[in-house]
Amino acid sequence: MSNQPNRPPRTSPAGMPRQAPKPAPNAVRGKTVQRAPMPQQQPVTDEEITVRKPSLFGRILRRAGTILLLILALVFAYLFLLLGEPDDEAKSIQKPVQETITMPMGALDVPGESDAAKLAEAFGQPVLTLNQMLTMYKARIYDTAFEGEYARRVAITYTFEDGQSLLVESLRPTSAVTLIKQDEYRLDASALYSMAGLNAARMQNDSSICVFAQNDTAVYAVTCPTSHAEELETLLRYTTLVAPNEGE
């Protein structure tokens, strides 16, 4: 038998739960640390990894950007050269002053073959001619009203075997290039031409083709019917500039 005296049973304090509360999940381990998402791993395979090509729009933008940078570089280089101090030789070079025509001359028509040097004397500058290819039918020297003054013109007509005409013209001043433009002419910039040693351009309509060029003092043009377009490049090789006779 126990020697301890009999004690009354213990009672719980008022409001105390019968069971201890369960600990919260994060109470022991702490809060979960958020980590940056890992990059997606490519599947392990023996096949080659396909590299995605840039889109067509992206390639066009990059190409346009490259061209734009090239143009800007050329512009800056041009401005650098333009604004630079010219040397003595450059200072001594002057562009020829184009003579203005204030009084018109009477039109002169020369049938058949004519001396191109004589035509150049009346024109005041070398004239464009065609050698050894077609027969010269006629030549005409005349002035046309232009910008309050006059433009001088030499028009030489050659004939093909079928009777059609090839017109070879010389005009001055150079601003008179607008006088050779006919109705509905369309400029063709797809190719470059050469005429009497000058770089030339081409324009055409449904009935004719015109190849024209200019130097510092005059404009030159060859107008050919479209029915003889295949012969035009060959004919241009035979064009030449004939200067006035010296001392006359």
Side-chain angles (χ1 to χ4, degrees):
M1 176 178 287
S2 174
N3 294 328
Q4 291 181 357
N6 293 331
R7 294 179 181 180
R10 295 180 180 180
T11 60
S12 301
M16 178 176 290
R18 293 181 176 273
Q19 296 180 355
K22 295 181 179 181
N26 297 333
V28 178
R29 292 174 297 177
K31 294 184 179 180
T32 303
V33 178
Q34 295 183 354
R35 298 181 179 179
M38 299 294 291
Q40 184 177 0
Q41 183 177 0
Q42 296 293 335
V44 180
T45 175
D46 294 335
E47 297 181 359
E48 294 182 358
I49 299 176
T50 303
V51 179
R52 186 177 180 182
K53 296 182 178 180
S55 64
L56 177 60
F57 183 70
R59 294 198 302 270
I60 292 175
L61 284 180
R62 283 196 294 273
R63 184 172 299 177
T66 303
I67 295 174
L68 179 60
L69 290 176
L70 179 60
I71 293 174
L72 290 176
L74 292 175
V75 169
F76 285 130
Y78 175 76
L79 291 176
F80 177 79
L81 294 175
L82 184 64
L83 298 177
E85 182 67 19
D87 54 20
D88 294 338
E89 183 178 356
K91 292 179 180 179
S92 63
I93 298 175
Q94 296 181 356
K95 290 185 177 180
V97 178
Q98 299 189 39
E99 179 186 356
T100 58
I101 303 172
T102 56
M103 293 295 294
M105 64 174 289
L108 176 63
D109 293 295
V110 182
E113 295 283 346
S114 60
D115 186 354
K118 294 289 186 182
L119 298 176
E121 289 177 15
F123 181 62
Q125 294 293 333
V127 297
L128 185 67
T129 62
L130 183 65
N131 289 333
Q132 303 175 355
M133 285 296 293
L134 298 176
T135 301
M136 184 185 294
Y137 177 69
K138 66 177 181 178
R140 189 167 195 260
I141 308 173
Y142 63 105
D143 289 343
T144 301
F146 178 71
E147 295 183 350
E149 296 176 342
Y150 294 89
R152 183 149 298 172
R153 310 175 69 167
V154 174
I156 304 176
T157 303
Y158 298 86
T159 55
F160 292 97
E161 293 181 356
D162 59 1
Q164 296 193 68
S165 298
L166 179 82
L167 182 62
V168 177
E169 291 186 278
S170 305
L171 304 88
R172 68 176 179 91
T174 55
S175 56
V177 64
T178 56
L179 296 177
I180 64 176
K181 185 175 182 180
Q182 298 183 14
D183 294 337
E184 299 181 357
Y185 258 154
R186 303 176 300 275
L187 185 64
D188 181 6
S190 60
L192 294 177
Y193 295 83
S194 178
M195 182 172 64
L198 303 173
N199 292 328
R202 169 175 170 161
M203 55 185 177
Q204 69 181 75
N205 55 23
D206 294 335
S207 60
S208 61
I209 302 169
C210 178
V211 178
F212 62 98
Q214 74 174 62
N215 55 20
D216 293 334
T217 56
V219 177
Y220 303 101
V222 174
T223 303
C224 175
T226 54
S227 57
H228 290 272
E230 296 181 356
E231 304 172 50
L232 181 57
E233 290 192 19
T234 301
L235 292 171
L236 292 177
R237 297 192 189 104
Y238 288 87
T239 53
T240 185
L241 292 175
V242 177
N245 288 328
E246 296 182 359
E248 295 186 10

